[in-house]
PDB file of all heavy atoms in Angstrom:
ATOM      1  N   ARG A  29      87.166  89.702 159.898  1.00 93.00           N
ATOM      2  CA  ARG A  29      88.041  90.178 160.982  1.00 93.00           C
ATOM      3  C   ARG A  29      87.782  89.446 162.306  1.00 93.00           C
ATOM      4  O   ARG A  29      88.388  89.773 163.319  1.00 93.00           O
ATOM      5  CB  ARG A  29      87.834  91.693 161.153  1.00 93.00           C
ATOM      6  CG  ARG A  29      88.560  92.467 160.053  1.00 93.00           C
ATOM      7  CD  ARG A  29      87.979  93.803 159.720  1.00 93.00           C
ATOM      8  NE  ARG A  29      88.622  94.330 158.508  1.00 93.00           N
ATOM      9  CZ  ARG A  29      88.328  93.913 157.264  1.00 93.00           C
ATOM     10  NH1 ARG A  29      87.396  92.991 157.065  1.00 93.00           N
ATOM     11  NH2 ARG A  29      88.982  94.415 156.231  1.00 93.00           N
ATOM     12  N   TRP A  31      85.275  89.692 164.254  1.00 93.00           N
ATOM     13  CA  TRP A  31      84.858  90.714 165.213  1.00 93.00           C
ATOM     14  C   TRP A  31      83.445  90.482 165.775  1.00 93.00           C
ATOM     15  O   TRP A  31      82.941  91.294 166.546  1.00 93.00           O
ATOM     16  CB  TRP A  31      84.915  92.113 164.559  1.00 93.00           C
ATOM     17  CG  TRP A  31      86.305  92.698 164.494  1.00 93.00           C
ATOM     18  CD1 TRP A  31      87.445  92.185 165.062  1.00 93.00           C
ATOM     19  CD2 TRP A  31      86.715  93.920 163.841  1.00 93.00           C
ATOM     20  NE1 TRP A  31      88.530  93.009 164.790  1.00 93.00           N
ATOM     21  CE2 TRP A  31      88.107  94.074 164.044  1.00 93.00           C
ATOM     22  CE3 TRP A  31      86.049  94.888 163.096  1.00 93.00           C
ATOM     23  CZ2 TRP A  31      88.838  95.163 163.537  1.00 93.00           C
ATOM     24  CZ3 TRP A  31      86.763  95.967 162.596  1.00 93.00           C
ATOM     25  CH2 TRP A  31      88.143  96.107 162.812  1.00 93.00           C
ATOM     26  N   GLU A  32      82.805  89.373 165.364  1.00 94.00           N
ATOM     27  CA  GLU A  32      81.459  89.124 165.890  1.00 94.00           C
ATOM     28  C   GLU A  32      81.483  89.097 167.415  1.00 94.00           C
ATOM     29  O   GLU A  32      80.527  89.508 168.077  1.00 94.00           O
ATOM     30  CB  GLU A  32      80.888  87.775 165.417  1.00 94.00           C
ATOM     31  CG  GLU A  32      80.651  87.658 163.926  1.00 94.00           C
ATOM     32  CD  GLU A  32      81.855  87.077 163.210  1.00 94.00           C
ATOM     33  OE1 GLU A  32      82.961  87.041 163.806  1.00 94.00           O
ATOM     34  OE2 GLU A  32      81.697  86.658 162.049  1.00 94.00           O
ATOM     35  N   HIS A  35      80.842  92.393 168.772  1.00 97.00           N
ATOM     36  CA  HIS A  35      79.623  93.060 168.318  1.00 97.00           C
ATOM     37  C   HIS A  35      78.364  92.498 168.966  1.00 97.00           C
ATOM     38  O   HIS A  35      77.416  92.113 168.285  1.00 97.00           O
ATOM     39  CB  HIS A  35      79.563  93.009 166.793  1.00 97.00           C
ATOM     40  CG  HIS A  35      80.553  93.938 166.139  1.00 97.00           C
ATOM     41  ND1 HIS A  35      80.369  94.489 164.903  1.00 97.00           N
ATOM     42  CD2 HIS A  35      81.731  94.456 166.590  1.00 97.00           C
ATOM     43  CE1 HIS A  35      81.403  95.288 164.608  1.00 97.00           C
ATOM     44  NE2 HIS A  35      82.251  95.260 165.610  1.00 97.00           N
ATOM     45  N   LYS A  38      74.638  94.982 172.972  1.00 98.00           N
ATOM     46  CA  LYS A  38      75.003  96.030 173.940  1.00 98.00           C
ATOM     47  C   LYS A  38      76.100  96.930 173.370  1.00 98.00           C
ATOM     48  O   LYS A  38      75.985  98.153 173.398  1.00 98.00           O
ATOM     49  CB  LYS A  38      75.473  95.364 175.238  1.00 98.00           C
ATOM     50  CG  LYS A  38      75.831  96.331 176.360  1.00 98.00           C
ATOM     51  CD  LYS A  38      76.315  95.546 177.596  1.00 98.00           C
ATOM     52  CE  LYS A  38      76.723  96.471 178.714  1.00 98.00           C
ATOM     53  NZ  LYS A  38      75.693  96.632 179.754  1.00 98.00           N
ATOM     54  N   GLU A  50      79.000 111.982 166.768  1.00 98.00           N
ATOM     55  CA  GLU A  50      79.926 112.580 165.799  1.00 98.00           C
ATOM     56  C   GLU A  50      79.165 113.353 164.721  1.00 98.00           C
ATOM     57  O   GLU A  50      79.673 114.338 164.191  1.00 98.00           O
ATOM     58  CB  GLU A  50      80.867 111.507 165.233  1.00 98.00           C
ATOM     59  CG  GLU A  50      81.705 110.934 166.373  1.00 98.00           C
ATOM     60  CD  GLU A  50      82.869 110.046 165.955  1.00 98.00           C
ATOM     61  OE1 GLU A  50      83.127 109.893 164.759  1.00 98.00           O
ATOM     62  OE2 GLU A  50      83.527 109.494 166.870  1.00 98.00           O
ATOM     63  N   LEU A  58      76.184 125.599 165.720  1.00 96.00           N
ATOM     64  CA  LEU A  58      75.554 126.316 164.605  1.00 96.00           C
ATOM     65  C   LEU A  58      74.171 126.852 164.981  1.00 96.00           C
ATOM     66  O   LEU A  58      73.470 126.270 165.821  1.00 96.00           O
ATOM     67  CB  LEU A  58      75.405 125.386 163.397  1.00 96.00           C
ATOM     68  CG  LEU A  58      76.677 124.738 162.839  1.00 96.00           C
ATOM     69  CD1 LEU A  58      76.342 123.965 161.561  1.00 96.00           C
ATOM     70  CD2 LEU A  58      77.762 125.765 162.584  1.00 96.00           C
ATOM     71  N   ARG A  64      71.046 124.550 158.138  1.00 97.00           N
ATOM     72  CA  ARG A  64      70.376 124.282 156.847  1.00 97.00           C
ATOM     73  C   ARG A  64      71.272 124.645 155.657  1.00 97.00           C
ATOM     74  O   ARG A  64      70.884 124.407 154.515  1.00 97.00           O
ATOM     75  CB  ARG A  64      69.091 125.117 156.732  1.00 97.00           C
ATOM     76  CG  ARG A  64      67.970 124.704 157.671  1.00 97.00           C
ATOM     77  CD  ARG A  64      66.622 124.921 156.969  1.00 97.00           C
ATOM     78  NE  ARG A  64      65.506 124.993 157.884  1.00 97.00           N
ATOM     79  CZ  ARG A  64      64.583 124.028 158.020  1.00 97.00           C
ATOM     80  NH1 ARG A  64      64.683 122.917 157.323  1.00 97.00           N
ATOM     81  NH2 ARG A  64      63.581 124.183 158.857  1.00 97.00           N
ATOM     82  N   ASP A  80      78.545 105.655 159.104  1.00 98.00           N
ATOM     83  CA  ASP A  80      78.864 104.887 160.316  1.00 98.00           C
ATOM     84  C   ASP A  80      77.605 104.543 161.114  1.00 98.00           C
ATOM     85  O   ASP A  80      77.458 103.423 161.615  1.00 98.00           O
ATOM     86  CB  ASP A  80      79.807 105.689 161.225  1.00 98.00           C
ATOM     87  CG  ASP A  80      81.244 105.697 160.722  1.00 98.00           C
ATOM     88  OD1 ASP A  80      81.681 104.688 160.140  1.00 98.00           O
ATOM     89  OD2 ASP A  80      81.945 106.712 160.925  1.00 98.00           O
ATOM     90  N   TYR A  84      76.097 100.641 161.927  1.00 98.00           N
ATOM     91  CA  TYR A  84      75.789 100.051 163.240  1.00 98.00           C
ATOM     92  C   TYR A  84      74.289  99.792 163.413  1.00 98.00           C
ATOM     93  O   TYR A  84      73.889  98.842 164.085  1.00 98.00           O
ATOM     94  CB  TYR A  84      76.331 100.931 164.367  1.00 98.00           C
ATOM     95  CG  TYR A  84      77.838 100.854 164.504  1.00 98.00           C
ATOM     96  CD1 TYR A  84      78.623 101.998 164.453  1.00 98.00           C
ATOM     97  CD2 TYR A  84      78.479  99.632 164.689  1.00 98.00           C
ATOM     98  CE1 TYR A  84      80.014 101.932 164.578  1.00 98.00           C
ATOM     99  CE2 TYR A  84      79.861  99.548 164.806  1.00 98.00           C
ATOM    100  CZ  TYR A  84      80.618 100.694 164.751  1.00 98.00           C
ATOM    101  OH  TYR A  84      81.986 100.620 164.874  1.00 98.00           O
ATOM    102  N   LYS A 103      56.424 102.680 162.298  1.00 97.00           N
ATOM    103  CA  LYS A 103      56.410 103.780 163.270  1.00 97.00           C
ATOM    104  C   LYS A 103      55.777 105.041 162.673  1.00 97.00           C
ATOM    105  O   LYS A 103      55.057 105.757 163.370  1.00 97.00           O
ATOM    106  CB  LYS A 103      57.840 104.073 163.744  1.00 97.00           C
ATOM    107  CG  LYS A 103      57.925 104.788 165.079  1.00 97.00           C
ATOM    108  CD  LYS A 103      57.316 103.981 166.227  1.00 97.00           C
ATOM    109  CE  LYS A 103      57.050 104.768 167.480  1.00 97.00           C
ATOM    110  NZ  LYS A 103      58.197 104.996 168.327  1.00 97.00           N
ATOM    111  N   TYR A 111      49.515 111.495 166.338  1.00 90.00           N
ATOM    112  CA  TYR A 111      49.563 112.959 166.201  1.00 90.00           C
ATOM    113  C   TYR A 111      48.679 113.392 165.043  1.00 90.00           C
ATOM    114  O   TYR A 111      49.170 113.652 163.944  1.00 90.00           O
ATOM    115  CB  TYR A 111      50.996 113.428 165.935  1.00 90.00           C
ATOM    116  CG  TYR A 111      52.004 112.917 166.928  1.00 90.00           C
ATOM    117  CD1 TYR A 111      52.904 111.914 166.583  1.00 90.00           C
ATOM    118  CD2 TYR A 111      52.057 113.437 168.226  1.00 90.00           C
ATOM    119  CE1 TYR A 111      53.829 111.446 167.509  1.00 90.00           C
ATOM    120  CE2 TYR A 111      52.979 112.968 169.143  1.00 90.00           C
ATOM    121  CZ  TYR A 111      53.854 111.966 168.772  1.00 90.00           C
ATOM    122  OH  TYR A 111      54.770 111.500 169.680  1.00 90.00           O
ATOM    123  N   GLY A 118      51.579 122.710 162.724  1.00 82.00           N
ATOM    124  CA  GLY A 118      52.380 123.935 162.829  1.00 82.00           C
ATOM    125  C   GLY A 118      52.420 124.582 164.202  1.00 82.00           C
ATOM    126  O   GLY A 118      52.815 125.728 164.334  1.00 82.00           O
ATOM    127  N   TYR A 123      53.770 121.296 169.758  1.00 56.00           N
ATOM    128  CA  TYR A 123      54.673 120.298 169.192  1.00 56.00           C
ATOM    129  C   TYR A 123      55.532 119.646 170.263  1.00 56.00           C
ATOM    130  O   TYR A 123      55.542 118.420 170.429  1.00 56.00           O
ATOM    131  CB  TYR A 123      55.575 120.942 168.138  1.00 56.00           C
ATOM    132  CG  TYR A 123      56.457 119.954 167.442  1.00 56.00           C
ATOM    133  CD1 TYR A 123      55.988 119.239 166.358  1.00 56.00           C
ATOM    134  CD2 TYR A 123      57.754 119.724 167.878  1.00 56.00           C
ATOM    135  CE1 TYR A 123      56.799 118.328 165.708  1.00 56.00           C
ATOM    136  CE2 TYR A 123      58.571 118.815 167.226  1.00 56.00           C
ATOM    137  CZ  TYR A 123      58.081 118.121 166.152  1.00 56.00           C
ATOM    138  OH  TYR A 123      58.888 117.212 165.524  1.00 56.00           O
ATOM    139  N   ARG A 127      55.426 115.772 171.351  1.00 57.00           N
ATOM    140  CA  ARG A 127      56.518 114.860 171.077  1.00 57.00           C
ATOM    141  C   ARG A 127      57.286 114.452 172.323  1.00 57.00           C
ATOM    142  O   ARG A 127      58.031 113.494 172.300  1.00 57.00           O
ATOM    143  CB  ARG A 127      57.517 115.472 170.075  1.00 57.00           C
ATOM    144  CG  ARG A 127      56.885 115.879 168.759  1.00 57.00           C
ATOM    145  CD  ARG A 127      56.379 114.678 167.960  1.00 57.00           C
ATOM    146  NE  ARG A 127      57.433 113.858 167.470  1.00 57.00           N
ATOM    147  CZ  ARG A 127      57.615 113.535 166.204  1.00 57.00           C
ATOM    148  NH1 ARG A 127      56.793 113.986 165.290  1.00 57.00           N
ATOM    149  NH2 ARG A 127      58.604 112.747 165.851  1.00 57.00           N
ATOM    150  N   GLU A 130      58.425 110.819 173.857  1.00 46.00           N
ATOM    151  CA  GLU A 130      58.109 109.816 172.843  1.00 46.00           C
ATOM    152  C   GLU A 130      59.076 108.643 172.920  1.00 46.00           C
ATOM    153  O   GLU A 130      60.263 108.850 173.073  1.00 46.00           O
ATOM    154  CB  GLU A 130      58.252 110.503 171.484  1.00 46.00           C
ATOM    155  CG  GLU A 130      57.674 109.699 170.338  1.00 46.00           C
ATOM    156  CD  GLU A 130      57.812 110.541 169.094  1.00 46.00           C
ATOM    157  OE1 GLU A 130      57.470 111.738 169.201  1.00 46.00           O
ATOM    158  OE2 GLU A 130      58.270 110.045 168.075  1.00 46.00           O
TER     159      GLU A 130
ATOM    160  N   ARG B  24      51.753 118.010 158.776  1.00 93.00           N
ATOM    161  CA  ARG B  24      51.708 118.657 160.099  1.00 93.00           C
ATOM    162  C   ARG B  24      52.420 120.011 160.119  1.00 93.00           C
ATOM    163  O   ARG B  24      52.512 120.644 161.152  1.00 93.00           O
ATOM    164  CB  ARG B  24      52.326 117.698 161.140  1.00 93.00           C
ATOM    165  CG  ARG B  24      51.347 116.597 161.508  1.00 93.00           C
ATOM    166  CD  ARG B  24      51.970 115.328 161.988  1.00 93.00           C
ATOM    167  NE  ARG B  24      50.940 114.287 162.079  1.00 93.00           N
ATOM    168  CZ  ARG B  24      50.463 113.619 161.010  1.00 93.00           C
ATOM    169  NH1 ARG B  24      50.920 113.872 159.802  1.00 93.00           N
ATOM    170  NH2 ARG B  24      49.510 112.715 161.187  1.00 93.00           N
ATOM    171  N   TRP B  26      55.540 120.607 159.966  1.00 93.00           N
ATOM    172  CA  TRP B  26      56.623 120.494 160.959  1.00 93.00           C
ATOM    173  C   TRP B  26      58.010 120.706 160.352  1.00 93.00           C
ATOM    174  O   TRP B  26      59.007 120.576 161.067  1.00 93.00           O
ATOM    175  CB  TRP B  26      56.574 119.121 161.652  1.00 93.00           C
ATOM    176  CG  TRP B  26      55.535 119.018 162.736  1.00 93.00           C
ATOM    177  CD1 TRP B  26      54.765 120.030 163.243  1.00 93.00           C
ATOM    178  CD2 TRP B  26      55.150 117.842 163.472  1.00 93.00           C
ATOM    179  NE1 TRP B  26      53.920 119.551 164.230  1.00 93.00           N
ATOM    180  CE2 TRP B  26      54.137 118.204 164.380  1.00 93.00           C
ATOM    181  CE3 TRP B  26      55.563 116.496 163.439  1.00 93.00           C
ATOM    182  CZ2 TRP B  26      53.545 117.298 165.265  1.00 93.00           C
ATOM    183  CZ3 TRP B  26      54.963 115.596 164.317  1.00 93.00           C
ATOM    184  CH2 TRP B  26      53.968 115.998 165.216  1.00 93.00           C
ATOM    185  N   HIS B  30      62.147 120.899 161.864  1.00 96.00           N
ATOM    186  CA  HIS B  30      63.081 119.839 161.472  1.00 96.00           C
ATOM    187  C   HIS B  30      64.320 120.370 160.753  1.00 96.00           C
ATOM    188  O   HIS B  30      64.645 119.931 159.655  1.00 96.00           O
ATOM    189  CB  HIS B  30      62.345 118.781 160.645  1.00 96.00           C
ATOM    190  CG  HIS B  30      61.422 117.941 161.476  1.00 96.00           C
ATOM    191  ND1 HIS B  30      61.066 116.656 161.161  1.00 96.00           N
ATOM    192  CD2 HIS B  30      60.803 118.185 162.661  1.00 96.00           C
ATOM    193  CE1 HIS B  30      60.256 116.165 162.095  1.00 96.00           C
ATOM    194  NE2 HIS B  30      60.068 117.091 163.013  1.00 96.00           N
ATOM    195  N   LYS B  33      70.019 120.606 162.578  1.00 98.00           N
ATOM    196  CA  LYS B  33      70.472 120.667 163.971  1.00 98.00           C
ATOM    197  C   LYS B  33      69.502 119.925 164.897  1.00 98.00           C
ATOM    198  O   LYS B  33      69.908 119.085 165.700  1.00 98.00           O
ATOM    199  CB  LYS B  33      70.589 122.135 164.393  1.00 98.00           C
ATOM    200  CG  LYS B  33      71.126 122.358 165.813  1.00 98.00           C
ATOM    201  CD  LYS B  33      71.166 123.865 166.127  1.00 98.00           C
ATOM    202  CE  LYS B  33      71.614 124.123 167.545  1.00 98.00           C
ATOM    203  NZ  LYS B  33      73.045 124.463 167.644  1.00 98.00           N
ATOM    204  N   GLU B  45      67.317 105.868 173.609  1.00 98.00           N
ATOM    205  CA  GLU B  45      66.203 105.008 174.018  1.00 98.00           C
ATOM    206  C   GLU B  45      66.474 103.557 173.630  1.00 98.00           C
ATOM    207  O   GLU B  45      66.019 102.642 174.301  1.00 98.00           O
ATOM    208  CB  GLU B  45      64.884 105.552 173.460  1.00 98.00           C
ATOM    209  CG  GLU B  45      64.639 106.938 174.074  1.00 98.00           C
ATOM    210  CD  GLU B  45      63.258 107.528 173.826  1.00 98.00           C
ATOM    211  OE1 GLU B  45      62.391 106.846 173.263  1.00 98.00           O
ATOM    212  OE2 GLU B  45      63.064 108.702 174.230  1.00 98.00           O
ATOM    213  N   LEU B  53      72.369  95.282 181.181  1.00 96.00           N
ATOM    214  CA  LEU B  53      72.489  93.868 180.803  1.00 96.00           C
ATOM    215  C   LEU B  53      73.946  93.451 180.656  1.00 96.00           C
ATOM    216  O   LEU B  53      74.806  94.247 180.299  1.00 96.00           O
ATOM    217  CB  LEU B  53      71.776  93.618 179.476  1.00 96.00           C
ATOM    218  CG  LEU B  53      70.290  93.962 179.394  1.00 96.00           C
ATOM    219  CD1 LEU B  53      69.726  93.492 178.056  1.00 96.00           C
ATOM    220  CD2 LEU B  53      69.497  93.353 180.543  1.00 96.00           C
ATOM    221  N   ARG B  59      72.463  89.463 174.038  1.00 97.00           N
ATOM    222  CA  ARG B  59      72.296  88.581 172.863  1.00 97.00           C
ATOM    223  C   ARG B  59      71.040  87.721 172.977  1.00 97.00           C
ATOM    224  O   ARG B  59      70.709  86.984 172.047  1.00 97.00           O
ATOM    225  CB  ARG B  59      73.500  87.627 172.728  1.00 97.00           C
ATOM    226  CG  ARG B  59      74.818  88.262 172.325  1.00 97.00           C
ATOM    227  CD  ARG B  59      75.623  87.322 171.427  1.00 97.00           C
ATOM    228  NE  ARG B  59      77.030  87.627 171.361  1.00 97.00           N
ATOM    229  CZ  ARG B  59      77.623  88.174 170.276  1.00 97.00           C
ATOM    230  NH1 ARG B  59      76.908  88.476 169.223  1.00 97.00           N
ATOM    231  NH2 ARG B  59      78.919  88.414 170.278  1.00 97.00           N
ATOM    232  N   ASP B  75      62.255 104.656 165.143  1.00 98.00           N
ATOM    233  CA  ASP B  75      62.429 106.102 165.378  1.00 98.00           C
ATOM    234  C   ASP B  75      63.795 106.590 164.885  1.00 98.00           C
ATOM    235  O   ASP B  75      63.899 107.654 164.273  1.00 98.00           O
ATOM    236  CB  ASP B  75      62.317 106.421 166.873  1.00 98.00           C
ATOM    237  CG  ASP B  75      60.879 106.405 167.368  1.00 98.00           C
ATOM    238  OD1 ASP B  75      59.978 106.785 166.593  1.00 98.00           O
ATOM    239  OD2 ASP B  75      60.655 106.027 168.535  1.00 98.00           O
ATOM    240  N   TYR B  79      64.539 109.413 161.786  1.00 98.00           N
ATOM    241  CA  TYR B  79      65.319 110.651 161.867  1.00 98.00           C
ATOM    242  C   TYR B  79      66.584 110.588 161.011  1.00 98.00           C
ATOM    243  O   TYR B  79      67.019 111.601 160.480  1.00 98.00           O
ATOM    244  CB  TYR B  79      65.657 110.981 163.325  1.00 98.00           C
ATOM    245  CG  TYR B  79      64.477 111.493 164.099  1.00 98.00           C
ATOM    246  CD1 TYR B  79      64.062 110.883 165.287  1.00 98.00           C
ATOM    247  CD2 TYR B  79      63.750 112.601 163.664  1.00 98.00           C
ATOM    248  CE1 TYR B  79      62.974 111.346 166.004  1.00 98.00           C
ATOM    249  CE2 TYR B  79      62.648 113.068 164.370  1.00 98.00           C
ATOM    250  CZ  TYR B  79      62.265 112.436 165.544  1.00 98.00           C
ATOM    251  OH  TYR B  79      61.189 112.908 166.244  1.00 98.00           O
ATOM    252  N   LYS B  98      81.436 103.602 153.310  1.00 97.00           N
ATOM    253  CA  LYS B  98      82.208 103.526 154.553  1.00 97.00           C
ATOM    254  C   LYS B  98      82.714 102.113 154.817  1.00 97.00           C
ATOM    255  O   LYS B  98      83.844 101.938 155.285  1.00 97.00           O
ATOM    256  CB  LYS B  98      81.342 104.022 155.724  1.00 97.00           C
ATOM    257  CG  LYS B  98      82.112 104.517 156.927  1.00 97.00           C
ATOM    258  CD  LYS B  98      83.021 105.702 156.601  1.00 97.00           C
ATOM    259  CE  LYS B  98      84.066 105.971 157.652  1.00 97.00           C
ATOM    260  NZ  LYS B  98      83.628 106.690 158.833  1.00 97.00           N
ATOM    261  N   TYR B 106      91.302  98.839 157.948  1.00 90.00           N
ATOM    262  CA  TYR B 106      91.541  97.770 158.936  1.00 90.00           C
ATOM    263  C   TYR B 106      91.791  96.463 158.196  1.00 90.00           C
ATOM    264  O   TYR B 106      90.887  95.627 158.071  1.00 90.00           O
ATOM    265  CB  TYR B 106      90.328  97.602 159.855  1.00 90.00           C
ATOM    266  CG  TYR B 106      89.891  98.881 160.504  1.00 90.00           C
ATOM    267  CD1 TYR B 106      88.736  99.541 160.098  1.00 90.00           C
ATOM    268  CD2 TYR B 106      90.640  99.445 161.541  1.00 90.00           C
ATOM    269  CE1 TYR B 106      88.343 100.720 160.702  1.00 90.00           C
ATOM    270  CE2 TYR B 106      90.249 100.625 162.146  1.00 90.00           C
ATOM    271  CZ  TYR B 106      89.099 101.261 161.716  1.00 90.00           C
ATOM    272  OH  TYR B 106      88.707 102.436 162.312  1.00 90.00           O
ATOM    273  N   GLY B 113      90.457  89.279 165.084  1.00 82.00           N
ATOM    274  CA  GLY B 113      90.148  88.726 166.399  1.00 82.00           C
ATOM    275  C   GLY B 113      90.971  89.253 167.543  1.00 82.00           C
ATOM    276  O   GLY B 113      90.994  88.663 168.622  1.00 82.00           O
ATOM    277  N   TYR B 118      91.903  95.697 168.720  1.00 56.00           N
ATOM    278  CA  TYR B 118      90.632  96.176 168.198  1.00 56.00           C
ATOM    279  C   TYR B 118      90.311  97.579 168.699  1.00 56.00           C
ATOM    280  O   TYR B 118      90.107  98.504 167.932  1.00 56.00           O
ATOM    281  CB  TYR B 118      89.516  95.219 168.599  1.00 56.00           C
ATOM    282  CG  TYR B 118      88.194  95.593 168.008  1.00 56.00           C
ATOM    283  CD1 TYR B 118      87.849  95.179 166.728  1.00 56.00           C
ATOM    284  CD2 TYR B 118      87.287  96.368 168.708  1.00 56.00           C
ATOM    285  CE1 TYR B 118      86.645  95.521 166.163  1.00 56.00           C
ATOM    286  CE2 TYR B 118      86.067  96.718 168.148  1.00 56.00           C
ATOM    287  CZ  TYR B 118      85.761  96.288 166.877  1.00 56.00           C
ATOM    288  OH  TYR B 118      84.556  96.634 166.331  1.00 56.00           O
ATOM    289  N   ARG B 122      90.018 100.930 166.460  1.00 56.00           N
ATOM    290  CA  ARG B 122      88.737 101.591 166.245  1.00 56.00           C
ATOM    291  C   ARG B 122      88.643 102.924 166.971  1.00 56.00           C
ATOM    292  O   ARG B 122      87.783 103.733 166.672  1.00 56.00           O
ATOM    293  CB  ARG B 122      87.565 100.703 166.719  1.00 56.00           C
ATOM    294  CG  ARG B 122      87.508  99.365 166.040  1.00 56.00           C
ATOM    295  CD  ARG B 122      87.259  99.473 164.532  1.00 56.00           C
ATOM    296  NE  ARG B 122      85.938  99.958 164.245  1.00 56.00           N
ATOM    297  CZ  ARG B 122      85.043  99.315 163.501  1.00 56.00           C
ATOM    298  NH1 ARG B 122      85.344  98.164 162.948  1.00 56.00           N
ATOM    299  NH2 ARG B 122      83.854  99.819 163.275  1.00 56.00           N
ATOM    300  N   GLU B 125      87.579 106.725 165.702  1.00 46.00           N
ATOM    301  CA  GLU B 125      87.105 106.576 164.327  1.00 46.00           C
ATOM    302  C   GLU B 125      86.100 107.678 163.996  1.00 46.00           C
ATOM    303  O   GLU B 125      85.296 108.030 164.823  1.00 46.00           O
ATOM    304  CB  GLU B 125      86.414 105.220 164.229  1.00 46.00           C
ATOM    305  CG  GLU B 125      86.108 104.797 162.837  1.00 46.00           C
ATOM    306  CD  GLU B 125      85.536 103.409 162.911  1.00 46.00           C
ATOM    307  OE1 GLU B 125      86.095 102.607 163.659  1.00 46.00           O
ATOM    308  OE2 GLU B 125      84.544 103.161 162.224  1.00 46.00           O
TER     309      GLU B 125
END
Side-chain angles (χ1 to χ4, degrees):
Chain A
R29 283 153 190 77
W31 281 353
E32 295 92 344
H35 287 207
K38 182 181 178 100
E50 298 191 4
L58 302 186
R64 291 214 200 252
D80 284 326
Y84 287 124
K103 202 61 195 280
Y111 308 106
Y123 184 85
R127 303 294 291 236
E130 193 176 314
Chain B
R24 283 154 190 78
W26 281 352
H30 288 207
K33 183 181 177 98
E45 297 190 6
L53 302 187
R59 290 215 200 253
D75 284 326
Y79 286 124
K98 203 60 196 280
Y106 307 107
Y118 184 85
R122 302 296 292 237
E125 191 176 316

